[in-house]
Amino acid sequence: MAERGRPRAFDRAAALRLAMESFWEHGYEGTSIGDLTARMGIRPPSLYAAFGSKEELFREAVALYEGMEGAPALQALRDAPTAVGGIEAMLRANVRSYTEIGRPTGCMVVLAATTYTPSTEGIRDFLAEERRGGTAAVRERLVRGQADGDVPPGADTGALAAYVMSVQYGLSLQARDGATREELDTVVDCLLAGWDGVVAARVTATGTPIASPPWRSTSR
């Protein structure tokens, strides 16, 4: 039986991409239904019919963002031969993403909801869970580094992962404030220069010597 009703008169994928850019640029609270329909070129009934609600649209937009921007950086993290090499590759990839010309700067997942009201607690929790997923991925890579021998067995992988992600969030905020790619790359340089000392400070009393890892980057 043919589907009843009028056919959808817009490209849903293209409309979702435009919605993603609005949320990325203005945040969840700062983007109204009127803003979305104007950007997407549709009327409110069409938005609700296609996406359900503003929150459901936002969740789809975040998933699209993660697939386009987050997934390549996480793949770079996993594919590098050492844990710290993966962390560098992830941060450099994000620096490039955060400063790409012609689109919003910074990270959508970090910047899309910086203030909350009781009605947006679900968005707060959703984005917090997304960020925890990134921290978990870094920790998993550090644990793998321990198994491979390039991260000391006594290293506090949880604290190190939280440190790396704190730097990543800072890169996002600085990019939104107008920092250049070169300036953000310098921040990554600083993390790498101090990495051995940070790891050493978080190693438990196992007596394990910490060798200088052969990872100094030439990837910039």
Side-chain angles (χ1 to χ4, degrees):
M1 178 182 292
E3 184 178 355
R4 293 185 177 182
R6 296 177 62 185
R8 186 176 294 143
F10 66 94
D11 183 328
R12 190 181 190 281
L16 177 60
R17 174 77 177 257
L18 292 170
M20 178 195 75
E21 292 172 354
S22 289
F23 285 128
W24 188 356
E25 185 173 5
H26 301 294
Y28 182 79
E29 288 279 15
T31 305
S32 68
I33 291 294
D35 295 329
L36 289 166
T37 55
R39 184 75 171 265
M40 299 160 78
I42 61 177
R43 296 177 63 82
S46 296
L47 184 151
Y48 291 120
F51 299 102
S53 67
K54 178 184 174 182
E55 180 170 338
E56 290 176 272
L57 173 58
F58 178 75
R59 289 173 181 265
E60 280 200 52
V62 169
L64 177 62
Y65 174 85
E66 291 283 32
M68 292 174 51
E69 306 297 329
L74 289 177
Q75 194 63 49
L77 169 71
R78 297 183 180 111
D79 287 349
T82 64
V84 72
I87 287 166
E88 178 185 10
M90 178 189 74
L91 293 176
R92 301 279 190 211
N94 282 320
V95 165
R96 292 192 294 273
S97 172
Y98 297 166
T99 56
E100 189 71 32
I101 295 172
R103 62 184 192 177
T105 53
C107 173
M108 179 182 177
V109 175
V110 174
L111 300 172
T114 55
T115 59
Y116 306 98
T117 64
S119 65
T120 59
E121 287 181 358
I123 295 297
R124 176 199 64 191
D125 295 344
F126 167 63
L127 290 174
E129 186 62 28
E130 291 287 316
R131 292 190 290 269
R132 281 192 289 270
T135 304
V138 174
R139 184 172 188 177
E140 288 170 8
R141 186 63 188 87
L142 289 163
V143 170
R144 196 176 109 204
Q146 289 178 318
D148 293 342
D150 59 85
V151 176
D156 185 341
T157 57
L160 292 172
Y163 165 61
V164 169
M165 295 306 290
S166 294
V167 172
Q168 180 166 302
Y169 300 157
L171 293 171
S172 174
L173 289 168
Q174 289 187 59
R176 181 56 59 93
D177 286 344
T180 66
R181 183 170 299 181
E182 291 73 21
E183 290 169 334
L184 298 183
D185 267 328
T186 299
V187 175
V188 180
D189 291 342
C190 290
L191 178 144
L192 297 172
W195 182 255
D196 294 352
V198 171
V199 173
R202 301 304 306 173
V203 171
T204 57
T206 62
T208 304
I210 302 175
S212 181
W215 51 261
R216 299 304 176 191
S217 171
T218 59
S219 64
R220 283 184 55 184

